[in-house]
Structure formats: C-alpha cells, structure tokens
Amino acid sequence: MQAINVQTPPAQSNKATPPKASKTKLSFDYTPSQDGIDHNLLVLLHGLGDSKGPFTNLGKQLKLPQTATLSVQAPEPVPYMDGCFQWFPSFDMLTGDLLTPANPERLKGLLRTREMMDGLINHLIKDCGFNPSNIFFFGFSQGGTVALDTVLFGKVRNLGGVVSISGYLLEEQRVDRKLGDGYAGYILVTQGEKDGTVGSKFEAEKRFKAIERQCGSTAETLQIFITNKDHTMPSSEREWRLIHTFFGKNMSRRNIELENMSDVYLVK
C-alpha cells in the first residue's frame, strides 16, 4: 500500500521581484498591485508618437485586483518630435509620409522590437517570478501590434492574453501557421466603426482573421466594433466594460482566505 504524505503547503509570496532596468533594453515604469498581491502582470504598450507616462497612469486607474502593471516605452524616438516614440520605423525621412507595407524597414524594426520584448519577458519570468500564463498585454494601435506579435511570434508561447485597441499584425507579416503550433490564450480586439487609419470594416475583419490564423483551436478570440469611434483610445462605457470583463474572466486569482486557513494541508 502506498504511503500518504501530508504536509503543510508552502507559503506563497505576495510580492513579485520588481524588474530591473539593467536587465532589458526597454525603458519602463513598474507599479506593484494596489492590493499588495502581485499575482498577475499587465504590460501596457502605448501607440505611435506617445510615451510610457500616460499608460503608467492608465495602469493605476484600471485597478485590476492582484495585478501589477508595467508600462513599456517604445525603443525608437520619432524623428524631429521630442518625447515621442515608435515601436518600429513609421515615417519616410524625406517626405514625412507614413511608410507602407512595401517598405522593409517596418518589419525589420518590428523584429528588433520583438527581440527586446523577448528579453523583457524572459526577465519577468525567470528573475521576477511571474508565471507566463499570468502575463497579459494591453496595447493601442502600434502598441497593439507589438502585443500581438509578442504572444503570437515571441519565444514564450504560453502568455496569458492581449487586449488590442485598433491594433493588428503588420500586413507584411501575414504568414500561414504550422498545424498544432498556434497561440492558445485569449485575444480581444476592439475597433472603431469610423476608424480611418485601419480602413473599412471589411479590412478590419480581414486583418483580424490574420490574427486568428496564428491561434490554436483552444484559443479564445473576439473582435468588437465600437459605434461612432475613430482610431482612438477607449472612451465609452461600453468599451471599457468589455475590457474589464475580458481581464476579469481570464486573469486568475489567488484565494488568500483559503491559503491562510490553518487546517489546509497538501496531500501527496
């Protein structure tokens, strides 16, 4: 007969180890969870021409339970615009026009950023103690592109999920997925019906399908169109409710009361 080994379960630490600037090439602001339990991590990625500061404040305003936040700044300054940053080259240096998918510098820049994001995620997991499935992303526009690229093509394949606001994969990186190798987490994309940057609803749906092609059969993906909205951050009660519902449904929670009960034992 096999012996039963009864033990008191080991105490879990409520605090994660804060990330160190020396461990990554990306600039960031880290904020511990407001309730003192750093179980999840929300990585916030700003849009083209912005910086990490406003998204640091957004992370605090979201007040997600048991969730620390990390607002990351894009690595490249926007030429001739002080305090503005981009995740990959976006403008023609001679004309000032936005680069098109035909320009190889966009994808080259995104691949450089992917490598830096991989290094940051590795640090967050190995040195700070975050479980990959508890790391989620919130990105706007170009930041949404980077968030999706990180979970779909990055080295860590079991990250928690993404909320992308009007952000999709670059058109030039639409590739077919190998069977059985897709992302298995959670993705929510919100899209303004009047978004002139992305284009028509048909174009937005086509770009969302490119995301779904990189996902496995167990992934949960959703695209929601917001009435009377252009290419902007969320401002309506409906859109913010969708975002909070997504995180509330898919982020795990520790049961602190159960953990603190003196008569709970681990049976092996």
Side-chain angles (χ1 to χ4, degrees), residues 233-250:
M233 279 283 287
S235 59
S236 68
E237 180 182 348
R238 180 190 179 220
E239 190 169 7
W240 280 119
R241 190 186 306 117
L242 287 167
I243 293 166
H244 275 281
T245 299
F246 174 88
F247 289 130
K249 175 186 174 183
N250 299 318

Side-chain angles (χ1 to χ4, degrees), residues 27-31 52-53 56 69-73:
S27 176
F28 61 82
D29 291 333
Y30 175 75
T31 306
K52 59 183 171 63
T56 301
T69 60
L70 187 77
S71 178
V72 185
Q73 189 158 283

Side-chain angles (χ1 to χ4, degrees), residues 164-216:
S164 177
I165 310 300
S166 301
Y168 298 88
L169 299 174
L170 292 183
E171 294 94 319
E172 56 267 43
Q173 67 179 127
R174 292 179 182 173
V175 294
D176 292 331
R177 173 179 63 83
K178 292 181 180 180
L179 189 64
D181 191 34
Y183 175 64
Y186 309 98
I187 294 176
L188 168 66
V189 177
T190 65
Q191 169 71 49
E193 287 187 345
K194 297 183 177 180
D195 191 327
T197 300
V198 174
S200 66
K201 184 177 182 180
F202 173 78
E203 175 63 22
E205 290 173 338
K206 183 171 68 173
R207 296 179 72 171
F208 184 69
K209 288 178 182 177
I211 295 169
E212 291 185 306
R213 283 197 296 271
Q214 304 303 322
C215 295

